[in-house]
Amino acid sequence: MTRPVADGSCAQDSLGPVAGDSAMAAGETVTTTDRRIMAAAVRFSRWHVGLTGSNPSVATLIVKDEGHGPVIIGRGLTAPGGRPHAEAQALRQAGARAHGATAYVTLEPCAHHGRTPPCANALVEAGVVRVVSAATDPDERVSGRGYAILRAAGLAVASGVMAKESEASLAGYMMQRTRHRAHVTLKLAVSADGRIGRRGHGQVAISGPVSRAQAHLMRAESDAVLIGIATALEDDPQLTCRLPGLERRSPVRIVLDTHLRLPLSSSLVASARTVPLMLATTVPPDDARRLALEEAGVGFIAAAPLAGHMALPELLEDLAARGIYSVLVEGGATLARAFLDDGLVDRIALFTAARRIDATGSDCVDAPFTRQSVPAGFVPVRQMHFGADLFEEFERG
């Protein structure tokens, strides 16, 4: 496997032959070695999730056997902002050695002319002889056309290799291309006795430090983090990523604030010029409160009212139109139920803590659900332990 070294170049490790059953994908034999390399590519693709704007974070590995087993001779990752694409960077690193090599890509190579030539053509021109791909691009300008360009030029193509795993990292892009809205992950931390907080006590630590670090990593991989105004007023959160070295990956902060109740003195407004803050509101542009917030660096999203509430489907469509494809919802029970009731939650990230809150009566805030009562229609996909806490991930079936 290729290892990054201090000067930015790559050292090479032999991937070696791997025994195992082969499978078929799009008429091509797929080996265990293919799956190992694709698994590495999928992991690599996560490095820039949340940084590539309206383009997906794609990884490409160029692999060749030059007599000592297959080695990675070039690797590329969609650059921050979305350009250049992963294939172009991997081919540039591989240089002339790409002739006769295999390219592993986590998303079908693009087939349309934009600011740069299609990546499918670039692979052909570089002399790559085989392409192993994970997910098919749902963009109508690409879907199937990238593979067609490759096959027409005589390249062997195996598609659908670890597609499900790749699509998990591409969820925001896939949702925008297929349903024209942002992908929603609902994050919830629930105490052992089924609570998510105590009224009037501000932020209450429920999960442990390892879980909190994972939650910050989720922020780093999201385009936006979203809460309701009640949470903003009660907790006065920052909603930034505070993991050492990842601070610059803090997402856009969004607050649903129909009547603009967020005070100028809040932590969110105080940092608006450093980390983008947007308020979804029905208040008109010439309102004095809005003008004061705008002067402080706050942005706005015009929200549509619906039966006395904010129209969430339209909001998610507006966010996708702005290039915000993945949203992490961290609000309270009311906001969680609103997204669930509208059928807008695509993934649930549930942290069940070992500690109890032991609040009673009106003092306690009950969770909208617990691990024993996950809403119907969601299936478990992952379970891990973070310190003393249990983490479970569910996806809409």
Side-chain angles (χ1 to χ4, degrees), residues 9-181:
S9 60
C10 292
Q12 295 175 346
D13 292 337
S14 173
L15 293 164
V18 180
D21 296 332
S22 64
M24 300 297 290
E28 280 291 317
T29 299
V30 178
T31 67
T32 303
T33 299
D34 287 332
R35 291 193 179 89
R36 279 186 57 192
I37 300 171
M38 185 60 77
V42 170
R43 290 193 298 271
F44 185 35
S45 73
R46 291 189 61 185
W47 283 25
H48 282 179
V49 171
L51 295 178
T52 56
S54 59
N55 284 340
S57 179
V58 176
T60 298
L61 301 178
I62 309 295
V63 176
K64 193 173 186 180
D65 186 343
E66 297 176 308
H68 302 284
V71 295
I72 296 173
I73 58 173
R75 65 175 188 168
L77 190 63
T78 306
R83 301 281 177 173
H85 285 183
E87 294 92 334
Q89 297 192 77
L91 290 171
R92 186 179 302 115
Q93 190 176 89
R97 297 169 70 192
H99 194 275
T102 295
Y104 292 82
V105 294
T106 58
L107 182 68
E108 177 183 3
C110 66
H112 61 285
H113 285 267
R115 285 176 287 177
T116 57
C119 291
N121 293 87
L123 291 167
V124 172
E125 292 168 5
V128 169
V129 296
R130 181 172 182 248
V131 173
V132 181
S133 172
T136 295
D137 195 331
D139 189 323
E140 61 183 15
R141 299 170 299 174
V142 179
S143 189
R145 292 178 173 84
Y147 298 143
I149 290 172
L150 299 172
R151 291 191 175 105
L155 278 70
V157 178
S159 61
V161 180
M162 299 193 71
K164 185 179 173 100
E165 292 80 356
S166 179
E167 287 170 1
S169 296
L170 298 167
Y173 174 78
M174 294 291 192
M175 182 62 68
Q176 190 277 335
R177 286 295 188 268
T178 56
R179 298 184 65 182
H180 310 293
R181 69 164 174 85

Side-chain angles (χ1 to χ4, degrees), residues 339-362:
F339 273 92
L340 288 167
D341 289 346
D342 281 353
L344 297 174
V345 176
D346 305 296
R347 182 182 297 158
I348 293 173
L350 180 62
F351 295 84
T352 302
R355 64 162 294 187
R356 298 172 61 89
I357 289 184
D358 289 326
T360 58
S362 61

Side-chain angles (χ1 to χ4, degrees), residues 252-265:
V252 175
R253 286 104 36 97
I254 300 172
V255 180
L256 306 190
D257 189 4
T258 304
H259 305 295
L260 283 190
R261 293 191 289 150
L262 187 69
L264 286 167
S265 59

